[in-house]
Amino acid sequence: MKSFSLVLLVVWPLFIAVNGWPNIRDAPSTTVDIQDGQTGTLMVLPPRQTDTGTKRVPDADHPFIAPGPNDMRGPCPAMNTLANHGYISRKYGVLLCFNYVLLILSRSGITSFEEIIRGTAEAFNIDRDMSSGMAALNLLTRGNPFVDKISIGGVSPFVPPLPGQIDGPETQGIAKHGRVEGDASMTRSDVHIGDNRNFNQTLWDMDLEQLAEFGDDGPDGPATVFNLQTLIELKRQNLESDQVLDPEFAIPIRRLNAVFGSNVTDTDSVASVFANGTTKQATKRIISSFFMNQTFPENWFRAAAPVLGSSIPGEITAALPQWVPGHNDENGVFVADPQPPAPFNISSGCANYWDTLVNAVPGTLADVTGIFKQNVDMLNGILFNASGCSELIAPAGPTNV
């Protein structure tokens, strides 16, 4: 059905040389910039964490609190878990009630570039080079990089539209389909045929069928540990099923990277982020806790060394060579997308960077000024340094989509 030669995509590089770009800042500025009634926040790359060994997570300061009706949650189990435990979007407020002062703890699901980096480091031991790339991608595509805010779910009144509404009247959040969120998820439906934000038990049951057939034996019983073959078969199943069921199925370069697990998303998170740091095993009990309940499992320890990704995305890519960037045509037949133009076709990482800047980052960000421009340049620089490209690309994607 899909007999196409593998294009240049394999996986986004597993680390980001954050010191190679002149706009990546280690110290804040006192500049004040007000645009369209919003006060700009100059983004600053947080220092690397010094405590990089394994430890039990969560600690006593981060108990689980279920999200309230106005809290934002989205398609990413890791971000939802971080928010539910207050590693990100942790805010305090004061409420006066009958002469008492009550301290209110909020887990709103609204976060920032710096908070994503610090939160993923503290809870998951994700290296700053990796987390800064994840944060940069999300802020550029679905956040407000002028005020340094992003929703991990949908539209929120706490994340204003970009100044001048240059990307539409609302800032959508990472749950919005198209730029980063996409098809062939392990636990979320494609947006055109279901709910792309919330956990889908049917999809998870299908995933567990693959685990039962290909998984390793572990402390919780036979065939309860996710291994490479299980992840390969999961991705095969996700792609083949959604391509048939979703008439608008599409996996551009950037999405196929995510499906195969680059930037510790989707499949790679199972093995390199969610696995218990003391056993290095990702068991059914552990992954179910993250995916279904969006909470840290009992007696769970983070990775024993900073996470920079793994070889798993490349191994899945090699095992499924028939899957290349492409989309369904009007007849439901999968067709390959054109390859990126030269010189952006020289490597997989460069092709990914080209697709992101040309098709996912709104082109209006190329013309911003002041702190807005400094933040956009810094975020773009982080992605550029990871790409292997020789030429920087200005944002050129469609707006208000």
Side-chain angles (χ1 to χ4, degrees):
M1 178 175 61
K2 294 168 283 296
S3 57
F4 306 102
S5 60
L6 180 64
V7 297
L8 297 173
L9 166 68
V10 177
V11 62
W12 196 296
L14 297 179
F15 65 91
I16 299 167
V18 297
N19 293 319
W21 179 251
N23 284 299
I24 296 178
R25 295 174 294 273
D26 294 307
S29 167
T30 57
T31 302
V32 176
D33 187 4
I34 299 177
Q35 299 185 25
D36 198 17
Q38 303 175 33
T39 300
T41 298
L42 193 67
M43 295 179 184
V44 177
L45 193 67
R48 297 181 186 278
Q49 66 171 341
T50 56
D51 177 13
T52 58
T54 189
K55 61 181 178 181
R56 188 168 182 170
V57 176
D59 57 24
D61 195 38
H62 295 87
F64 174 84
I65 297 178
N70 297 319
D71 292 334
M72 291 291 127
R73 298 295 183 267
C76 178
M79 297 299 287
N80 294 340
T81 299
L82 292 174
N84 288 342
H85 285 270
Y87 286 98
I88 62 171
S89 68
R90 181 187 180 101
K91 302 293 185 293
Y92 291 97
V94 174
L95 177 67
L96 297 178
C97 182
F98 299 106
N99 295 324
Y100 289 94
V101 177
L102 304 178
L103 189 63
I104 306 299
L105 179 61
S106 168
R107 305 280 175 83
S108 66
I110 308 304
T111 187
S112 68
F113 172 76
E114 295 83 357
E115 195 175 56
I116 291 172
I117 294 172
R118 290 192 295 263
T120 54
E122 174 67 15
F124 290 122
N125 208 8
I126 296 179
D127 189 272
R128 186 183 73 168
D129 291 353
M130 177 63 73
S131 60
S132 63
M134 295 187 293
L137 175 64
N138 284 290
L139 262 295
L140 281 174
T141 56
R142 289 302 183 194
N144 184 328
F146 179 59
V147 298
D148 190 12
K149 290 183 179 180
I150 187 170
S151 165
I152 68 171
V155 175
S156 168
F158 300 109
V159 185
L162 300 183
Q165 298 190 12
I166 60 174
D167 190 31
E170 296 176 316
T171 296
Q172 297 290 337
I174 66 173
K176 175 68 173 179
H177 179 79
R179 290 177 176 170
V180 176
E181 192 282 327
D183 298 336
S185 167
M186 290 176 63
T187 59
R188 268 66 176 174
S189 296
D190 290 5
V191 69
H192 301 108
I193 57 174
D195 181 357
N196 72 317
R197 184 184 300 190
N198 296 301
F199 175 81
N200 185 307
Q201 184 66 54
T202 299
L203 290 178
W204 182 232
D205 288 342
M206 292 170 62
D207 295 337
L208 293 181
E209 290 176 3
Q210 302 302 317
L211 176 63
E213 183 172 355
F214 297 101
D216 290 334
D217 298 343
D220 299 329
T224 55
V225 178
F226 287 83
N227 56 22
L228 175 61
Q229 193 59 44
T230 303
L231 297 176
I232 291 171
E233 299 306 324
L234 281 176
K235 286 298 93 184
R236 188 195 311 275
Q237 174 180 265
N238 297 155
L239 288 161
E240 290 180 353
S241 174
D242 286 4
Q243 188 273 321
V244 172
L245 295 175
D246 183 357
E248 299 184 57
F249 178 78
I251 46 168
I253 295 173
R254 62 190 185 277
R255 180 56 191 169
L256 192 58
N257 259 346
V259 168
F260 286 160
S262 68
N263 269 353
V264 291
T265 57
D266 212 4
T267 46
D268 195 35
S269 66
V270 170
S272 63
V273 175
F274 294 153
N276 195 314
T278 58
T279 65
K280 298 183 179 181
Q281 289 184 332
T283 67
K284 176 182 176 180
R285 179 185 65 84
I286 289 172
I287 305 306
S288 294
S289 181
F290 284 115
F291 281 8
M292 296 179 64
N293 305 322
Q294 300 176 131
T295 184
F296 290 98
E298 292 185 9
N299 198 34
W300 186 83
F301 289 74
R302 72 179 195 179
V307 176
L308 273 169
S310 73
S311 62
I312 286 175
E315 293 179 275
I316 295 177
T317 302
L320 302 175
Q322 69 273 32
W323 284 104
V324 298
H327 62 280
N328 280 357
D329 65 13
E330 63 275 12
N331 298 314
V333 177
F334 186 82
V335 296
D337 290 338
Q339 294 189 20
F344 305 108
N345 58 357
I346 60 171
S347 69
S348 61
C350 191
N352 199 119
Y353 174 65
W354 171 86
D355 184 39
T356 299
L357 269 293
V358 170
N359 295 311
V361 179
T364 46
L365 292 185
D367 300 317
V368 297
T369 61
I371 284 179
F372 202 172
K373 174 177 170 54
Q374 292 181 64
N375 287 346
V376 169
D377 286 349
M378 185 189 78
L379 299 175
N380 189 3
I382 290 172
L383 299 184
F384 171 70
N385 287 337
S387 70
C389 290
S390 59
E391 296 182 18
L392 189 75
I393 303 174
T399 59
N400 196 22
V401 294

